Amino acid sequence: MTGVPEVTETEIPALHDRLDREAEEGGYHLNPDEEFVRGLVRGLLVNTKRYGYMSCPCRLAAGRKEEDLDIICPCDYRDPDLEEYGACYCALYVSDDVLAGKKKTGSIPERRPPPGARVSAVTPAAGAAAPFALTYPVWRCRVCGYLCARDEPPGVCPVCKAKKDRFERFL
Amino acid sequence: MTAAPPGARVSRLILCLLVLGAGLALLAGCTGTAPSPEQGSGPAVTTPAVPSWVVHVPGNDRGSVLLVGRTTCPWCLKTKELLGNLTVDYYWVDLDTLDNAETAEVMKAIRVCGEVSGVPILVIDGEQCIVGFQEARIREALG
């Protein structure tokens, strides 16, 4: 057996406040169930200490970043899950309707493809052939779909705050 | 849901041990108390010891129930609470507390679920698999 990394009482509200602020800035919302979210944030902290990155608290992490990139919070599947179910897989994030109490949500089906069917997160996407010459390559945030044309992807997505390694070459 | 008759449970136990050949086979659908020779209701069966990293929560027999979770997931806690409210006898294990060999044993035990990547995973009688906190399905299966 292995131990569970300790999380202090001050770490949880600190991360919660950051995630809440970043979510609202990007047009997202944390689940209003504070006790539930506290558990998720604690899980994110444990995973950060264990793996070095915020792997989804409710998914089976490989413990190798290149294999877990798609489930680093916010995961690649958050936005389609918010659209279809009103919540992401672990329910850290919820839609406007859920936040407003117009829609209920619960445990939702897993959208993550099985290992053999996952798009490689290491190799940049092949990218569609551009119909014209591009001055700069176009990069796409795999989490929220933000596009930008520049030599390199940004260090942090300005919309969803995903890190640079979550971008793929789009064009 | 009614408990399987002793004969059937022993057969299931033996079958599962043959198939998986590991201690966790016990939890994947093969749990049950083998009848003692004194009771004269069947052959003596040596029940494999449950690994120390598996927690047994005593309750009412609703078949063999294995809950696989993670310490980081609140849905797993909700599932445990529900099983507690239903007074179900079950075993649970948190995958993120296991070493590689222990994890491999659990993954063998949940092969019936196919390729799963989320928790909680509930395996009932080694046949039925419920992934996620699906309260209605859990109540239907174990209530």
Side-chain angles (χ1 to χ4, degrees):
Chain A
M1 290 190 75
T2 61
V4 178
E6 279 193 30
V7 171
T8 66
E9 286 305 308
T10 55
E11 289 176 295
I12 295 175
L15 178 58
H16 175 274
D17 290 351
R18 178 169 75 80
L19 293 175
D20 188 41
R21 185 179 65 251
E22 291 178 353
E24 293 299 327
E25 285 174 359
Y28 297 92
H29 310 292
L30 295 191
N31 192 324
D33 183 340
E34 290 191 8
E35 189 57 35
F36 186 80
V37 167
R38 182 180 164 80
L40 289 169
V41 171
R42 182 192 163 280
L44 288 170
L45 286 163
V46 168
N47 283 348
T48 302
K49 293 183 180 191
R50 181 180 277 139
Y51 307 125
Y53 49 88
M54 284 205 310
S55 181
C56 175
C58 295
R59 285 189 169 107
L60 306 179
R64 294 175 290 278
K65 191 175 184 181
E66 63 275 15
E67 292 176 42
D68 292 336
L69 269 180
D70 62 326
I71 57 168
I72 293 177
C73 187
C75 68
D76 286 10
Y77 315 103
R78 176 185 66 173
D79 285 24
D81 280 339
L82 285 174
E83 183 70 27
E84 186 169 355
Y85 303 110
C88 65
Y89 186 75
C90 70
L92 176 63
Y93 293 94
V94 297
S95 67
D96 291 353
D97 283 350
V98 171
L99 185 67
K102 295 177 185 171
K103 181 178 179 179
K104 289 203 168 185
T105 189
S107 181
I108 67 170
E110 172 62 295
R111 186 182 295 274
R112 189 186 195 201
R118 284 174 206 152
V119 176
S120 170
V122 179
T123 309
F132 46 83
L134 294 170
T135 307
Y136 296 99
V138 177
W139 301 94
R140 175 182 179 275
C141 173
R142 290 169 55 90
V143 176
C144 72
Y146 166 76
L147 296 173
C148 61
R150 49 192 284 173
D151 289 329
E152 292 289 327
V156 176
C157 174
V159 176
C160 72
K161 314 304 176 193
K163 300 264 174 56
K164 180 177 184 175
D165 54 11
R166 309 295 294 282
F167 278 77
E168 63 184 1
R169 177 81 179 266
F170 187 66
L171 285 174
Chain B
M1 191 170 179
T2 56
R9 302 189 71 191
V10 172
S11 299
R12 200 171 61 200
L13 177 67
I14 294 169
L15 175 66
C16 290
L17 289 178
L18 285 173
V19 172
L20 296 180
L24 256 202
L26 177 71
L27 307 173
C30 316
T31 53
T33 306
S36 66
E38 292 76 19
Q39 291 171 320
S41 54
V45 172
T46 304
T47 304
V50 176
S52 60
W53 38 271
V54 177
V55 178
H56 177 220
V57 181
N60 296 322
D61 184 5
R62 306 281 208 288
S64 57
V65 180
L66 170 65
L67 172 63
V68 178
R70 285 183 57 100
T71 62
T72 54
C73 179
W75 293 111
C76 297
L77 289 179
K78 283 181 179 285
T79 306
K80 287 174 192 171
E81 284 172 12
L82 177 59
L83 294 179
N85 291 339
L86 295 173
T87 63
V88 174
D89 185 287
Y90 70 102
Y91 293 84
W92 65 263
V93 61
D94 284 321
L95 270 177
D96 58 324
T97 63
L98 305 183
D99 62 30
N100 289 343
E102 293 160 352
T103 300
E105 277 200 64
V106 176
M107 297 313 282
K108 255 197 291 186
I110 62 172
R111 271 191 303 207
V112 64
C113 303
E115 292 197 71
V116 290
S117 61
V119 289
I121 301 164
L122 202 57
V123 184
I124 303 167
D125 282 337
E127 298 169 350
Q128 187 179 1
C129 185
I130 301 175
V131 180
F133 179 66
Q134 300 189 51
E135 184 171 353
R137 282 191 63 194
I138 296 170
R139 285 184 180 278
E140 185 184 351
L142 299 173

